């Protein structure tokens, strides 16, 4: 939720804020797929969420680092911004 709040404070569009809420859902649960996200929220939200997931997997493949909760929020934001670019 913190990521979505920050995106709202930055006056991002609705798709970006929704993606901020959903950015870990596919990775962290087996209840929702990227296709589900697209069906419910549209292709734009799917693109951002899927892009963020790919970026976070790249980070994980470079070794596991330990971050504070605040650092994790900043990293999540960076990943979402990267995912929003095409």
């Amino acid at each position: 939720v913190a990521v979505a709040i920050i995106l709202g404070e930055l006056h991002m569009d609705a798709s970006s804020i929704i993606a901020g809420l959903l950015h870990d859902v596919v990775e962290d649960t087996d209840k929702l797929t990227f296709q589900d996200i697209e069906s419910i929220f549209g292709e734009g939200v799917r693109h951002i969420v899927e892009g963020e997931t790919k970026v976070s997997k790249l980070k994980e493949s470079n070794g596991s680092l330990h971050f504070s909760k605040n650092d994790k929020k900043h990293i999540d934001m960076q990943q979402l911004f990267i995912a929003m670019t095409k």
Side-chain angles (χ1 to χ4, degrees), residues 1 9 11 20 24 26-27 30-31 33 36 39 41-42 44 52 62 65 76 78 80 82-83 85-86:
V1 175
E9 290 170 350
H11 305 287
D24 282 335
V26 175
E27 288 179 279
D30 58 357
K31 304 289 183 201
T33 66
D36 295 331
S39 296
F41 300 103
E52 192 280 331
N62 290 330
L65 302 174
D76 286 344
Q78 289 172 340
L80 277 169
I82 291 169
T85 62
K86 287 189 176 186

Side-chain angles (χ1 to χ4, degrees), residues 69-86:
K69 189 174 183 177
N70 197 37
D71 288 339
K72 176 74 169 103
K73 281 192 243 180
H74 289 104
I75 291 167
D76 286 344
M77 289 294 301
Q78 289 172 340
Q79 291 172 350
L80 277 169
F81 287 131
I82 291 169
M84 286 184 225
T85 62
K86 287 189 176 186

Side-chain angles (χ1 to χ4, degrees), residues 18-19 21-41 45-46 49 53:
I18 293 167
L21 287 169
L22 299 174
H23 74 277
D24 282 335
V25 171
V26 175
E27 288 179 279
D28 293 349
T29 71
D30 58 357
K31 304 289 183 201
L32 202 62
T33 66
F34 294 119
Q35 184 58 45
D36 295 331
I37 289 173
E38 183 173 342
S39 296
I40 298 166
F41 300 103
V45 173
R46 177 194 175 141
V49 173
T53 300

Side-chain angles (χ1 to χ4, degrees), residues 43-58:
E43 184 180 352
V45 173
R46 177 194 175 141
H47 173 76
I48 296 168
V49 173
E50 195 167 20
E52 192 280 331
T53 300
K54 290 176 183 177
V55 171
S56 67
K57 287 185 181 188
L58 285 174

